[in-house]
Amino acid sequence: TRAWFNSRDSVVQVVIRSAEMWSHVCQVKGKVHASVRGVSSHALVSWPPCLISLDLEGMGICDAGAEALAGPLRINATVTMVNLGDNKITAEGIKHLTDALKDNKSVSKLLIHDNGFGPEGAKHVADLLRITETATSLNLSDNRIGAAGAEALASALRVNATVTKVDLRNNRIMDEGIAHLTDALKHNKSVSEL
């Protein structure tokens, strides 16, 4: 499958190694935003240097797709937004992604809502938050993280100085989780929206 990425005056042809994938790309102010459908575990081996956002919401990439994306995300220096919402990614897939993002220095907005990865996945996100210097916005809504996941995130937010927005709607956090998050915000001066 071939996808064409338009960049100002030139067209860059990119060969994508998956027959199950098709891509729709549009040019926005000289930067490329991509929506990719049907990602397989071997897709997206390389990206064009002008790619700044990757929207794979609702594509059913699961853990295998998350693992496949981890390699390119680890070394990519241009992508600033990644949307992997509603993809049935479990805690295992979240671990692949967060481990890759620990090395990434460009992704500032991460949307991993509606995956249902539970408290274990939230712990992997918390591990990322402890060391990231680029993440500013996280959408973790609808992941059933519960009070244990909220506690892990609260612990990380106590030391994180970059995140300004965290969406935790519909996570069954309960009063215990809210207490942990409220306490964390006493120590965190960067979060303005929770």
Side-chain angles (χ1 to χ4, degrees), residues 77-97:
T78 60
V79 173
T80 60
M81 189 282 293
V82 175
N83 183 355
L84 299 176
D86 191 22
N87 271 297
K88 299 179 179 133
I89 302 172
T90 69
E92 177 186 342
I94 294 298
K95 178 159 179 36
H96 289 297
L97 291 168

Side-chain angles (χ1 to χ4, degrees), residues 10-73:
S10 64
V11 176
V12 179
Q13 185 179 27
V14 178
V15 177
I16 300 180
R17 297 182 180 189
S18 172
E20 297 124 24
M21 179 168 150
W22 66 270
S23 179
H24 171 73
V25 180
C26 63
Q27 184 174 348
V28 179
K29 296 183 182 175
K31 300 291 184 177
V32 175
H33 298 264
S35 293
V36 184
R37 305 287 187 236
V39 174
S40 76
S41 61
H42 301 292
L44 293 174
V45 172
S46 63
W47 297 333
C50 55
L51 186 67
I52 62 166
S53 66
L54 191 62
D55 185 357
L56 303 173
E57 183 171 358
M59 297 299 106
I61 68 169
C62 303
D63 291 341
E67 184 177 5
L69 289 170
L73 277 175

Side-chain angles (χ1 to χ4, degrees), residues 136 154 156-165 181-193:
T136 59
L157 286 172
R158 281 185 184 89
V159 298
N160 179 283
T162 60
V163 173
T164 59
K165 179 181 178 183
L181 291 165
T182 301
D183 184 59
L185 292 180
K186 292 176 186 174
H187 305 282
N188 181 302
K189 304 301 178 205
S190 64
V191 175
S192 61
E193 191 175 338

